[in-house]
Amino acid sequence: MKIGILGGLTPQATIEYYKLIINKYQTEIDSSAFPEMVIESVDVSKVHHLTTGKKEQQLIQYLSESMNDLMQAGADVILIASNTPHLFYEEITRNVSVPVISILDATSDEVIKSNKNRIGLLGTIPTMQSNLYRKPFINTEIQIFVPEITEQDFLQEKIFKQFSRGIFIKEDIMAVENMIQQLNSKYKINGLILGCTELPIFLKQDDWKDIELFDTTSIHVDSLIRFLKKKP
């Protein structure tokens, strides 16, 4: 079975996906094999421009064409290696004839199972300001909390200008850690969704004993591995 990755969103996160899929595949399925994969790497700067410019139809068309490219390349199952494009999950996957594993579904399931109910959320501005990670919890007691607007602007800039390029400066990491501490101080969070696939690169559970981190990249890959295990 060939795994398709809609990547480039960002390139740094795509690299993490690739390594993690191989590691978990060999750990849980076949230690002597390497999974077949095909990656469609889109231009994250174009995606960012279309997103911030609210050119939704152009963005959907661009990503839909990339999904079609993955199918044409023989992908039997697809991952969109980013949180933000899941805002348009239904539109992007409408004409996709193979399973597309949702990072949103996988993560929300993990949050519900955790019994944590005061959840911080970090990610791009569209992810933090939309209902993407609020909608799954409408009929639950789970609440979602995000940083202040100025902090959201700071995080968005760092994601696209530095983290996406593999640039992780100590002062920036400390600023993100301070955001988490502020969320905890203000809202008493007991969980945190790392809703940008670069964040797990430098935010680790061992550093946050009283807050459960939901690493969306790892959760997404775990969901893929469970899917593969069910296939003959």
Side-chain angles (χ1 to χ4, degrees):
M1 178 165 285
K2 185 179 290 186
I3 301 162
I5 302 174
L6 179 58
L9 302 164
T10 62
Q12 191 67 30
T14 305
I15 293 168
E16 296 301 314
Y17 264 87
Y18 182 77
K19 293 191 296 185
L20 195 57
I21 289 170
I22 291 174
N23 179 269
K24 293 199 175 194
Y25 185 93
Q26 293 185 330
T27 299
E28 301 188 35
I29 296 178
D30 187 343
S31 62
S32 64
F34 290 85
E36 293 184 351
M37 282 187 270
V38 56
I39 298 173
E40 175 80 359
S41 187
V42 300
D43 181 355
V44 66
S45 60
K46 181 176 180 177
V47 171
H48 180 49
H49 172 73
L50 293 174
T51 301
T52 56
K54 300 188 183 302
K55 299 179 180 180
E56 293 183 1
Q57 290 307 312
Q58 293 181 45
L59 175 62
I60 290 167
Q61 181 178 351
Y62 181 48
L63 297 181
S64 296
E65 290 172 353
S66 297
M67 296 289 276
N68 186 65
D69 289 344
L70 286 169
M71 287 193 295
Q72 292 296 318
D76 299 299
V77 58
I78 295 174
L79 301 182
I80 302 172
S82 176
N83 284 267
T84 304
H86 283 72
L87 285 164
F88 311 104
Y89 177 86
E90 291 185 7
E91 293 88 344
I92 294 168
T93 62
R94 184 167 292 147
N95 296 316
V96 178
S97 58
V98 300
V100 182
I101 298 175
S102 165
I103 197 171
L104 177 63
D105 291 345
T107 301
S108 57
D109 286 347
E110 288 300 313
V111 172
I112 291 170
K113 287 191 295 185
S114 74
N115 293 319
K116 306 298 183 183
N117 61 355
R118 302 183 65 81
I119 309 297
L121 171 64
L122 298 182
T124 64
I125 286 177
T127 295
M128 290 186 286
Q129 293 186 358
S130 70
N131 287 324
L132 183 67
Y133 273 109
R134 292 177 177 85
K135 192 173 180 180
F137 307 121
I138 287 176
N139 296 318
T140 73
E141 295 182 355
I142 296 170
Q143 295 177 278
I144 299 293
F145 304 97
V146 297
E148 299 295 330
I149 295 296
T150 54
E151 293 178 319
Q152 291 182 30
D153 290 339
F154 171 84
L155 185 56
Q156 170 103 344
E157 181 180 10
K158 295 304 175 183
I159 287 170
F160 284 103
K161 291 186 177 180
Q162 292 179 211
F163 301 162
S164 64
R165 302 172 185 270
I167 302 170
F168 302 99
I169 298 170
K170 182 178 179 180
E171 288 76 12
D172 294 334
I173 293 174
M174 291 176 64
V176 176
E177 292 173 341
N178 186 61
M179 285 184 203
I180 301 172
Q181 292 166 352
Q182 291 298 319
L183 282 171
N184 192 31
S185 176
K186 187 173 182 179
Y187 300 112
K188 307 301 180 187
I189 62 172
N190 51 21
L192 179 71
I193 295 172
L194 305 182
C196 171
T197 44
E198 283 77 30
L199 297 177
I201 296 173
F202 61 88
L203 293 175
K204 303 299 182 182
Q205 184 63 70
D206 288 347
D207 298 323
W208 301 93
K209 301 297 185 182
D210 298 323
I211 301 172
E212 183 169 349
L213 302 189
F214 296 96
D215 176 346
T216 55
T217 303
S218 183
I219 290 170
H220 203 191
V221 173
D222 284 341
S223 187
L224 167 69
I225 296 299
R226 288 194 296 271
F227 173 86
L228 295 176
K229 282 182 173 181
K230 293 178 183 177
K231 291 298 177 180

